[in-house]
Coordinates of all heavy atoms in Angstrom, one line a residue:
M28 N -3.9 -0.9 -22.2 CA -2.8 -1.6 -22.7 C -1.5 -1.0 -22.3 O -0.6 -1.7 -21.9 CB -2.9 -1.7 -24.2 CG -1.8 -2.5 -24.8 SD -2.2 -3.0 -26.4 CE -0.6 -3.4 -27.1
K29 N -1.4 0.3 -22.3 CA -0.2 1.0 -21.9 C 0.1 0.7 -20.5 O 1.3 0.5 -20.1 CB -0.2 2.5 -22.3 CG -0.1 2.7 -23.7 CD 0.1 4.2 -24.0 CE 0.3 4.5 -25.5 NZ 0.6 5.9 -25.8
I30 N -0.9 0.7 -19.6 CA -0.7 0.5 -18.2 C -0.2 -1.0 -18.0 O 0.8 -1.2 -17.3 CB -1.9 0.7 -17.4 CG1 -2.2 2.2 -17.3 CG2 -1.8 0.1 -16.0 CD1 -3.4 2.6 -16.6
A31 N -0.7 -1.9 -18.7 CA -0.3 -3.3 -18.6 C 1.1 -3.5 -19.1 O 1.9 -4.2 -18.4 CB -1.2 -4.2 -19.4
L32 N 1.5 -2.8 -20.2 CA 2.9 -2.9 -20.6 C 3.8 -2.2 -19.7 O 4.9 -2.8 -19.4 CB 3.0 -2.3 -22.0 CG 2.3 -3.0 -23.2 CD1 2.3 -2.2 -24.4 CD2 3.0 -4.4 -23.4
W33 N 3.4 -1.1 -19.1 CA 4.3 -0.4 -18.1 C 4.5 -1.4 -16.9 O 5.6 -1.5 -16.4 CB 3.6 0.9 -17.7 CG 4.2 1.6 -16.5 CD1 5.5 2.1 -16.5 CD2 3.6 1.8 -15.3 NE1 5.7 2.6 -15.2 CE2 4.6 2.5 -14.5 CE3 2.4 1.6 -14.7 CZ2 4.3 2.9 -13.2 CZ3 2.1 2.0 -13.4 CH2 3.1 2.7 -12.7
I34 N 3.4 -2.0 -16.4 CA 3.5 -2.9 -15.2 C 4.5 -4.0 -15.5 O 5.4 -4.3 -14.7 CB 2.1 -3.4 -14.8 CG1 1.3 -2.3 -14.2 CG2 2.3 -4.6 -13.9 CD1 -0.1 -2.7 -14.0
A35 N 4.3 -4.6 -16.7 CA 5.2 -5.8 -17.1 C 6.6 -5.4 -17.3 O 7.5 -6.0 -16.8 CB 4.6 -6.5 -18.3
N36 N 6.8 -4.3 -18.1 CA 8.2 -3.9 -18.4 C 9.0 -3.4 -17.2 O 10.2 -3.5 -17.2 CB 8.2 -2.8 -19.5 CG 7.8 -3.4 -20.9 OD1 8.0 -4.6 -21.2 ND2 7.2 -2.6 -21.7
R37 N 8.3 -2.7 -16.3 CA 9.0 -2.1 -15.2 C 8.8 -2.9 -13.9 O 9.2 -2.4 -12.8 CB 8.5 -0.7 -15.0 CG 8.7 0.2 -16.1 CD 10.2 0.5 -16.4 NE 10.3 1.3 -17.5 CZ 11.4 1.3 -18.3 NH1 12.4 0.5 -18.0 NH2 11.5 2.2 -19.3
H38 N 8.3 -4.1 -14.0 CA 8.1 -5.0 -12.9 C 7.4 -4.3 -11.7 O 7.8 -4.5 -10.5 CB 9.5 -5.5 -12.4 CG 10.3 -6.1 -13.5 ND1 10.0 -7.3 -14.1 CD2 11.3 -5.6 -14.2 CE1 10.9 -7.6 -15.0 NE2 11.7 -6.6 -15.1
R39 N 6.3 -3.7 -12.0 CA 5.5 -3.0 -11.0 C 4.4 -4.0 -10.5 O 4.0 -4.9 -11.2 CB 4.8 -1.8 -11.5 CG 5.7 -0.7 -12.1 CD 6.5 0.0 -11.1 NE 7.2 1.1 -11.6 CZ 8.5 1.2 -11.6 NH1 9.3 0.2 -11.0 NH2 9.2 2.2 -12.1
P40 N 4.0 -3.8 -9.2 CA 2.9 -4.7 -8.8 C 1.6 -4.3 -9.4 O 1.4 -3.1 -9.7 CB 2.9 -4.4 -7.2 CG 3.5 -3.1 -7.1 CD 4.5 -2.9 -8.2
F41 N 0.7 -5.3 -9.5 CA -0.6 -4.9 -10.1 C -1.4 -3.9 -9.3 O -2.2 -3.1 -9.8 CB -1.5 -6.2 -10.3 CG -0.8 -7.2 -11.2 CD1 -0.5 -8.5 -10.8 CD2 -0.6 -6.9 -12.5 CE1 0.1 -9.4 -11.6 CE2 0.0 -7.8 -13.4 CZ 0.3 -9.1 -12.9
S42 N -1.2 -3.9 -8.0 CA -1.9 -3.0 -7.1 C -1.5 -1.5 -7.4 O -2.2 -0.7 -6.9 CB -1.6 -3.4 -5.7 OG -0.2 -3.3 -5.4
I43 N -0.5 -1.3 -8.1 CA -0.1 0.1 -8.3 C -1.2 0.9 -9.1 O -1.3 2.1 -8.9 CB 1.3 0.2 -9.1 CG1 1.9 1.6 -8.9 CG2 1.1 -0.1 -10.6 CD1 3.3 1.7 -9.3
V44 N -2.0 0.2 -9.8 CA -3.1 1.0 -10.5 C -4.1 1.5 -9.6 O -4.9 2.3 -10.0 CB -3.7 0.1 -11.6 CG1 -2.8 -0.3 -12.7 CG2 -4.4 -1.1 -11.0
E45 N -4.1 1.1 -8.3 CA -5.1 1.6 -7.3 C -4.4 2.5 -6.3 O -5.0 2.9 -5.3 CB -5.8 0.4 -6.6 CG -6.6 -0.4 -7.6 CD -7.2 -1.6 -7.0 OE1 -7.0 -1.9 -5.8 OE2 -7.9 -2.4 -7.7
D46 N -3.1 2.9 -6.6 CA -2.4 3.8 -5.7 C -3.0 5.2 -5.7 O -3.2 5.8 -6.8 CB -0.9 3.8 -6.2 CG -0.1 4.7 -5.3 OD1 0.2 4.3 -4.2 OD2 0.3 5.8 -5.8
P47 N -3.4 5.7 -4.6 CA -4.0 7.0 -4.5 C -3.3 8.1 -5.1 O -3.8 9.0 -5.8 CB -4.2 7.2 -3.0 CG -4.1 5.9 -2.4 CD -3.2 5.1 -3.2
E48 N -1.9 8.2 -4.9 CA -1.2 9.3 -5.5 C -1.1 9.2 -7.0 O -1.2 10.2 -7.7 CB 0.3 9.3 -4.9 CG 0.3 9.7 -3.5 CD 0.1 8.6 -2.5 OE1 -0.1 7.4 -2.9 OE2 0.0 8.9 -1.3
L49 N -1.0 7.9 -7.5 CA -0.9 7.8 -9.0 C -2.3 8.1 -9.6 O -2.3 8.8 -10.6 CB -0.6 6.3 -9.4 CG -0.5 6.0 -10.8 CD1 0.6 6.8 -11.5 CD2 -0.3 4.5 -11.1
L50 N -3.4 7.7 -9.0 CA -4.7 8.1 -9.4 C -4.9 9.6 -9.4 O -5.5 10.2 -10.3 CB -5.8 7.4 -8.6 CG -5.8 5.9 -8.7 CD1 -6.8 5.3 -7.7 CD2 -6.2 5.5 -10.1
D51 N -4.4 10.3 -8.4 CA -4.4 11.7 -8.3 C -3.7 12.4 -9.5 O -4.2 13.4 -10.1 CB -3.9 12.2 -7.0 CG -4.2 13.7 -6.7 OD1 -5.3 14.1 -7.0 OD2 -3.3 14.4 -6.2
I52 N -2.6 11.8 -9.8 CA -1.8 12.4 -11.0 C -2.6 12.2 -12.3 O -2.8 13.1 -13.1 CB -0.4 11.7 -11.1 CG1 0.5 12.0 -10.0 CG2 0.2 12.0 -12.5 CD1 1.7 11.2 -9.8
F53 N -3.2 11.0 -12.5 CA -4.0 10.7 -13.7 C -5.2 11.7 -13.7 O -5.5 12.2 -14.8 CB -4.5 9.3 -13.7 CG -3.5 8.3 -14.0 CD1 -3.7 7.0 -13.7 CD2 -2.3 8.6 -14.6 CE1 -2.7 6.0 -14.0 CE2 -1.3 7.6 -14.9 CZ -1.6 6.3 -14.6
L54 N -5.8 11.9 -12.6 CA -7.0 12.8 -12.6 C -6.6 14.2 -12.8 O -7.4 15.0 -13.3 CB -7.8 12.6 -11.3 CG -8.5 11.3 -11.1 CD1 -9.1 11.1 -9.7 CD2 -9.6 11.1 -12.2
D55 N -5.4 14.6 -12.3 CA -5.0 16.0 -12.6 C -4.8 16.2 -14.1 O -5.0 17.2 -14.7 CB -3.6 16.3 -11.9 CG -3.8 16.6 -10.4 OD1 -5.0 16.9 -10.0 OD2 -2.8 16.6 -9.7
L56 N -4.3 15.1 -14.8 CA -4.0 15.2 -16.2 C -5.3 15.2 -17.0 O -5.5 15.8 -18.1 CB -3.1 14.1 -16.7 CG -1.7 14.2 -16.1 CD1 -0.9 12.9 -16.4 CD2 -1.0 15.4 -16.7
N57 N -6.3 14.4 -16.5 CA -7.6 14.2 -17.2 C -8.6 13.9 -16.2 O -8.7 12.7 -15.7 CB -7.5 13.1 -18.3 CG -8.8 13.0 -19.0 OD1 -9.8 13.6 -18.7 ND2 -8.8 12.1 -20.0
P58 N -9.5 14.8 -15.8 CA -10.5 14.6 -14.8 C -11.5 13.5 -15.1 O -12.1 12.9 -14.2 CB -11.2 15.9 -14.7 CG -10.3 16.9 -15.3 CD -9.5 16.2 -16.3
R59 N -11.6 13.1 -16.4 CA -12.5 12.0 -16.8 C -11.8 10.7 -16.9 O -12.4 9.7 -17.4 CB -13.2 12.4 -18.1 CG -14.1 13.6 -18.0 CD -14.7 13.9 -19.3 NE -13.7 14.2 -20.3 CZ -13.9 14.5 -21.5 NH1 -15.1 14.6 -21.9 NH2 -12.9 14.7 -22.3
C60 N -10.6 10.6 -16.4 CA -9.7 9.4 -16.6 C -10.4 8.2 -15.8 O -10.8 8.4 -14.6 CB -8.3 9.7 -16.0 SG -7.2 8.3 -16.1
V61 N -10.4 7.1 -16.4 CA -10.9 5.9 -15.8 C -9.7 4.9 -15.8 O -9.2 4.6 -16.9 CB -12.1 5.3 -16.5 CG1 -12.5 4.0 -15.9 CG2 -13.2 6.3 -16.5
T62 N -9.3 4.4 -14.7 CA -8.2 3.5 -14.6 C -8.7 2.1 -14.3 O -9.7 1.9 -13.6 CB -7.1 3.9 -13.5 OG1 -7.8 4.0 -12.3 CG2 -6.5 5.2 -13.9
P63 N -7.9 1.1 -14.8 CA -8.4 -0.3 -14.5 C -8.1 -0.7 -13.0 O -7.3 -0.1 -12.3 CB -7.5 -1.1 -15.4 CG -6.2 -0.3 -15.6 CD -6.7 1.1 -15.5
K64 N -8.8 -1.7 -12.6 CA -8.6 -2.3 -11.3 C -7.4 -3.3 -11.4 O -7.0 -3.6 -12.5 CB -9.8 -3.0 -10.7 CG -11.0 -2.1 -10.6 CD -10.8 -1.1 -9.5 CE -12.0 -0.2 -9.3 NZ -11.7 1.0 -8.7
R65 N -6.8 -3.7 -10.2 CA -5.7 -4.6 -10.3 C -6.0 -5.9 -11.0 O -5.1 -6.4 -11.6 CB -5.1 -4.8 -8.9 CG -6.0 -5.6 -7.9 CD -5.4 -5.8 -6.6 NE -5.6 -4.5 -5.8 CZ -5.0 -4.3 -4.7 NH1 -4.2 -5.2 -4.1 NH2 -5.1 -3.2 -4.0
K66 N -7.2 -6.4 -10.8 CA -7.5 -7.7 -11.5 C -7.5 -7.5 -13.0 O -7.1 -8.4 -13.7 CB -8.8 -8.2 -11.0 CG -8.7 -8.8 -9.6 CD -10.0 -9.5 -9.2 CE -9.8 -10.0 -7.7 NZ -9.8 -11.4 -7.6
S67 N -8.0 -6.4 -13.4 CA -8.1 -6.1 -14.9 C -6.6 -6.0 -15.4 O -6.3 -6.5 -16.5 CB -8.8 -4.8 -15.2 OG -10.2 -5.0 -14.8
A68 N -5.8 -5.3 -14.7 CA -4.4 -5.1 -15.1 C -3.7 -6.4 -15.1 O -2.9 -6.7 -16.1 CB -3.7 -4.2 -14.1
S69 N -3.9 -7.3 -14.2 CA -3.4 -8.6 -14.1 C -3.8 -9.4 -15.3 O -3.0 -10.1 -16.0 CB -3.8 -9.3 -12.8 OG -3.4 -10.7 -12.9
R70 N -5.1 -9.4 -15.6 CA -5.6 -10.1 -16.8 C -5.0 -9.6 -18.1 O -4.7 -10.4 -19.0 CB -7.2 -10.0 -16.8 CG -7.8 -10.7 -17.9 CD -9.3 -10.3 -18.2 NE -9.2 -8.9 -18.6 CZ -10.0 -7.9 -18.1 NH1 -10.9 -8.2 -17.2 NH2 -9.9 -6.7 -18.6
D71 N -4.9 -8.3 -18.2 CA -4.3 -7.7 -19.4 C -2.9 -8.1 -19.6 O -2.5 -8.4 -20.7 CB -4.4 -6.2 -19.4 CG -5.9 -5.7 -19.4 OD1 -6.8 -6.5 -19.8 OD2 -6.1 -4.5 -19.1
V72 N -2.1 -8.1 -18.6 CA -0.7 -8.5 -18.7 C -0.6 -10.0 -19.1 O 0.2 -10.4 -20.0 CB 0.1 -8.3 -17.3 CG1 1.4 -9.0 -17.3 CG2 0.2 -6.8 -17.1
K73 N -1.4 -10.8 -18.5 CA -1.4 -12.3 -18.9 C -1.9 -12.5 -20.3 O -1.3 -13.3 -21.0 CB -2.4 -13.1 -17.9 CG -1.8 -13.2 -16.5 CD -2.8 -13.8 -15.6 CE -2.3 -13.8 -14.2 NZ -3.3 -14.3 -13.2
E74 N -2.8 -11.7 -20.8 CA -3.3 -11.8 -22.2 C -2.2 -11.3 -23.1 O -1.9 -12.0 -24.1 CB -4.5 -10.9 -22.4 CG -5.1 -11.1 -23.8 CD -6.4 -10.3 -23.9 OE1 -7.1 -10.0 -22.9 OE2 -6.8 -10.1 -25.1
I75 N -1.5 -10.2 -22.8 CA -0.4 -9.8 -23.7 C 0.7 -10.8 -23.7 O 1.3 -11.1 -24.7 CB 0.1 -8.4 -23.1 CG1 -0.9 -7.3 -23.4 CG2 1.4 -8.0 -23.8 CD1 -0.6 -6.0 -22.7
F76 N 1.0 -11.4 -22.5 CA 2.0 -12.5 -22.5 C 1.7 -13.6 -23.4 O 2.5 -14.2 -24.1 CB 2.2 -12.9 -21.0 CG 3.2 -14.1 -20.9 CD1 4.5 -13.9 -21.1 CD2 2.7 -15.4 -20.7 CE1 5.4 -15.0 -21.0 CE2 3.5 -16.5 -20.6 CZ 4.9 -16.3 -20.8
G77 N 0.4 -14.1 -23.3 CA 0.0 -15.2 -24.1 C 0.1 -14.9 -25.6 O 0.6 -15.8 -26.4
I78 N -0.3 -13.7 -26.0 CA -0.2 -13.3 -27.4 C 1.3 -13.3 -27.8 O 1.6 -13.8 -28.9 CB -0.9 -12.0 -27.7 CG1 -2.4 -12.1 -27.5 CG2 -0.6 -11.4 -29.0 CD1 -3.2 -10.8 -27.4
S79 N 2.1 -12.7 -27.0 CA 3.5 -12.6 -27.3 C 4.2 -13.9 -27.4 O 5.0 -14.2 -28.3 CB 4.2 -11.7 -26.2 OG 3.7 -10.4 -26.2
R80 N 3.8 -14.8 -26.5 CA 4.4 -16.2 -26.5 C 4.1 -16.9 -27.8 O 4.9 -17.5 -28.4 CB 3.9 -16.9 -25.3 CG 4.6 -18.3 -25.1 CD 4.3 -18.9 -23.9 NE 2.9 -19.5 -24.0 CZ 2.3 -20.1 -23.0 NH1 2.9 -20.3 -21.9 NH2 1.1 -20.6 -23.2
K81 N 2.8 -16.7 -28.3 CA 2.4 -17.4 -29.5 C 3.2 -16.8 -30.7 O 3.7 -17.5 -31.6 CB 1.0 -17.2 -29.8 CG 0.1 -18.0 -28.9 CD -1.4 -17.8 -29.2 CE -2.2 -18.5 -28.2 NZ -3.7 -18.2 -28.3
E82 N 3.4 -15.5 -30.7 CA 4.1 -14.8 -31.8 C 5.6 -15.2 -31.8 O 6.2 -15.5 -32.9 CB 4.0 -13.3 -31.7 CG 2.6 -12.8 -31.9 CD 2.1 -13.0 -33.3 OE1 2.9 -12.9 -34.3 OE2 0.9 -13.4 -33.4
V83 N 6.2 -15.3 -30.6 CA 7.6 -15.8 -30.6 C 7.7 -17.2 -31.0 O 8.7 -17.6 -31.8 CB 8.2 -15.6 -29.1 CG1 9.5 -16.3 -29.0 CG2 8.3 -14.1 -28.8
G84 N 6.7 -18.0 -30.7 CA 6.7 -19.4 -31.1 C 6.7 -19.5 -32.7 O 7.4 -20.3 -33.3
V85 N 5.9 -18.7 -33.3 CA 5.8 -18.6 -34.7 C 7.2 -18.2 -35.3 O 7.7 -18.8 -36.3 CB 4.7 -17.7 -35.2 CG1 4.8 -17.4 -36.7 CG2 3.3 -18.3 -34.9
L86 N 7.8 -17.2 -34.7 CA 9.1 -16.7 -35.2 C 10.1 -17.8 -35.1 O 11.0 -18.0 -36.0 CB 9.5 -15.5 -34.5 CG 8.7 -14.2 -34.8 CD1 9.2 -13.1 -33.8 CD2 8.9 -13.8 -36.2
L87 N 10.1 -18.5 -34.0 CA 11.1 -19.6 -33.8 C 10.9 -20.7 -34.7 O 11.9 -21.3 -35.2 CB 11.2 -20.0 -32.4 CG 11.7 -19.0 -31.3 CD1 11.6 -19.6 -29.9 CD2 13.1 -18.6 -31.7
R88 N 9.7 -21.1 -35.0 CA 9.4 -22.2 -35.9 C 9.9 -21.8 -37.3 O 10.4 -22.7 -38.0 CB 7.9 -22.4 -36.0 CG 7.5 -23.8 -35.5 CD 6.0 -24.1 -35.7 NE 5.1 -23.0 -35.8 CZ 4.4 -22.6 -34.7 NH1 4.7 -23.0 -33.5 NH2 3.5 -21.6 -34.8
V89 N 9.7 -20.6 -37.8 CA 10.1 -20.2 -39.1 C 11.6 -20.1 -39.1 O 12.2 -20.4 -40.1 CB 9.5 -18.8 -39.4 CG1 10.1 -18.2 -40.7 CG2 8.0 -18.9 -39.6
S90 N 12.3 -19.7 -38.0 CA 13.7 -19.5 -38.0 C 14.5 -20.8 -37.7 O 15.7 -20.7 -37.7 CB 14.1 -18.4 -37.0 OG 13.4 -17.2 -37.3
R91 N 13.9 -21.9 -37.4 CA 14.6 -23.1 -37.0 C 15.7 -23.5 -38.0 O 16.8 -23.8 -37.5 CB 13.7 -24.2 -36.7 CG 14.4 -25.4 -36.1 CD 13.4 -26.4 -35.6 NE 12.9 -25.9 -34.3 CZ 11.7 -26.3 -33.9 NH1 10.9 -27.1 -34.6 NH2 11.2 -25.8 -32.8
P92 N 15.4 -23.6 -39.3 CA 16.5 -24.0 -40.2 C 17.7 -23.0 -40.2 O 18.8 -23.5 -40.2 CB 15.8 -24.0 -41.6 CG 14.4 -24.1 -41.3 CD 14.2 -23.4 -40.0
L93 N 17.4 -21.7 -40.0 CA 18.5 -20.8 -40.0 C 19.3 -20.9 -38.7 O 20.5 -20.9 -38.7 CB 18.0 -19.3 -40.1 CG 17.3 -19.0 -41.4 CD1 16.7 -17.6 -41.3 CD2 18.3 -19.1 -42.5
L94 N 18.6 -21.2 -37.6 CA 19.3 -21.4 -36.3 C 20.2 -22.7 -36.4 O 21.3 -22.7 -35.9 CB 18.3 -21.6 -35.2 CG 17.6 -20.3 -34.7 CD1 16.6 -20.6 -33.7 CD2 18.6 -19.3 -34.2
Y95 N 19.7 -23.8 -37.0 CA 20.4 -25.0 -37.1 C 21.7 -24.8 -37.9 O 22.7 -25.2 -37.5 CB 19.5 -26.1 -37.8 CG 20.3 -27.3 -38.1 CD1 20.5 -28.3 -37.1 CD2 20.8 -27.6 -39.4 CE1 21.2 -29.4 -37.3 CE2 21.4 -28.8 -39.6 CZ 21.6 -29.7 -38.6 OH 22.3 -30.9 -38.8
M96 N 21.6 -24.0 -39.0 CA 22.7 -23.8 -39.8 C 23.7 -22.9 -39.1 O 24.9 -23.1 -39.2 CB 22.3 -23.1 -41.2 CG 21.6 -24.0 -42.1 SD 21.3 -23.3 -43.7 CE 20.3 -21.9 -43.3
F97 N 23.2 -21.9 -38.3 CA 24.1 -21.1 -37.6 C 24.9 -21.8 -36.5 O 26.2 -21.7 -36.4 CB 23.3 -19.9 -36.9 CG 24.2 -19.1 -36.0 CD1 25.0 -18.1 -36.6 CD2 24.1 -19.2 -34.6 CE1 25.8 -17.3 -35.7 CE2 24.9 -18.4 -33.8 CZ 25.7 -17.5 -34.4
Y98 N 24.3 -22.7 -35.8 CA 25.0 -23.4 -34.7 C 25.9 -24.5 -35.3 O 26.8 -25.0 -34.6 CB 24.0 -24.1 -33.7 CG 23.4 -23.0 -32.8 CD1 22.0 -22.7 -32.8 CD2 24.2 -22.3 -32.0 CE1 21.5 -21.8 -32.0 CE2 23.7 -21.3 -31.1 CZ 22.3 -21.1 -31.2 OH 21.8 -20.1 -30.3
N99 N 25.7 -25.0 -36.5 CA 26.5 -25.9 -37.1 C 27.6 -25.3 -38.0 O 28.2 -25.9 -38.8 CB 25.7 -26.9 -37.9 CG 25.0 -27.9 -37.0 OD1 25.6 -28.5 -36.1 ND2 23.7 -28.0 -37.2
H100 N 27.7 -24.0 -37.9 CA 28.7 -23.2 -38.6 C 28.5 -23.2 -40.1 O 29.5 -23.2 -40.9 CB 30.2 -23.6 -38.2 CG 30.4 -23.5 -36.7 ND1 30.5 -22.3 -36.1 CD2 30.5 -24.5 -35.8 CE1 30.7 -22.5 -34.8 NE2 30.7 -23.8 -34.6
V101 N 27.3 -23.4 -40.5 CA 27.0 -23.3 -41.9 C 26.2 -22.0 -42.1 O 25.2 -21.9 -41.5 CB 26.1 -24.5 -42.4 CG1 25.8 -24.4 -43.8 CG2 26.9 -25.8 -42.1
Y102 N 26.7 -21.1 -42.9 CA 26.1 -19.8 -43.0 C 25.5 -19.6 -44.3 O 25.3 -18.5 -44.8 CB 27.2 -18.7 -42.8 CG 27.8 -18.8 -41.4 CD1 29.1 -19.3 -41.2 CD2 27.1 -18.4 -40.3 CE1 29.6 -19.4 -39.9 CE2 27.6 -18.5 -39.0 CZ 28.9 -19.0 -38.8 OH 29.5 -19.1 -37.6
I103 N 25.1 -20.7 -45.0 CA 24.4 -20.6 -46.3 C 22.9 -20.6 -46.0 O 22.4 -21.4 -45.4 CB 24.8 -21.7 -47.2 CG1 26.3 -21.7 -47.4 CG2 24.0 -21.6 -48.5 CD1 26.8 -23.0 -48.1
R104 N 22.2 -19.6 -46.6 CA 20.8 -19.5 -46.4 C 20.1 -20.4 -47.5 O 20.5 -20.5 -48.6 CB 20.3 -18.1 -46.7 CG 19.8 -17.5 -45.5 CD 19.3 -16.1 -45.8 NE 19.3 -15.4 -44.5 CZ 18.4 -14.6 -44.2 NH1 17.5 -14.2 -45.0 NH2 18.4 -14.1 -43.0
V105 N 19.1 -21.1 -47.0 CA 18.3 -22.0 -48.0 C 16.9 -21.5 -48.1 O 16.4 -20.8 -47.3 CB 18.3 -23.5 -47.5 CG1 19.7 -24.1 -47.7 CG2 17.8 -23.6 -46.1

């Protein structure tokens, strides 16, 4: 998950998870390290995006009355 978030947040290509130098760093830190393939990283980023999109949709649905009041210069909460 952290790799998928890093790829998405820093706009890295999915192929970076198969970069030999990066893999060497990971293996230096932990010789038993297993990294995902680029297709797995792509799938994980898409899954995180889908979940995030649903959560944002829920937040916007709940906040719609407050947004309506804000844009109409009515600042009273109901």
Side-chain angles (χ1 to χ4, degrees):
M28 180 160 162
K29 286 187 177 186
I30 288 178
L32 290 172
W33 171 63
I34 288 171
N36 288 330
R37 300 294 180 207
H38 309 286
R39 303 290 187 241
F41 297 120
S42 61
I43 198 165
V44 296
E45 297 174 359
D46 180 73
E48 289 84 5
L49 182 63
L50 293 174
D51 191 42
I52 292 168
F53 287 161
L54 290 174
D55 281 348
L56 296 170
N57 181 356
R59 297 179 301 181
C60 178
V61 177
T62 57
K64 299 295 181 199
R65 69 179 75 190
K66 287 190 184 243
S67 297
S69 171
R70 182 196 64 228
D71 293 346
V72 168
K73 290 174 186 173
E74 185 176 341
I75 291 168
F76 173 76
I78 292 168
S79 299
R80 189 172 75 179
K81 287 178 188 175
E82 293 298 320
V83 169
V85 168
L86 289 173
L87 290 177
R88 242 190 331 272
V89 170
S90 300
R91 186 171 286 153
L93 294 176
L94 289 173
Y95 176 78
M96 288 186 303
F97 175 76
Y98 285 119
N99 288 307
H100 304 289
V101 177
Y102 299 105
I103 300 171
R104 251 183 198 214
V105 288

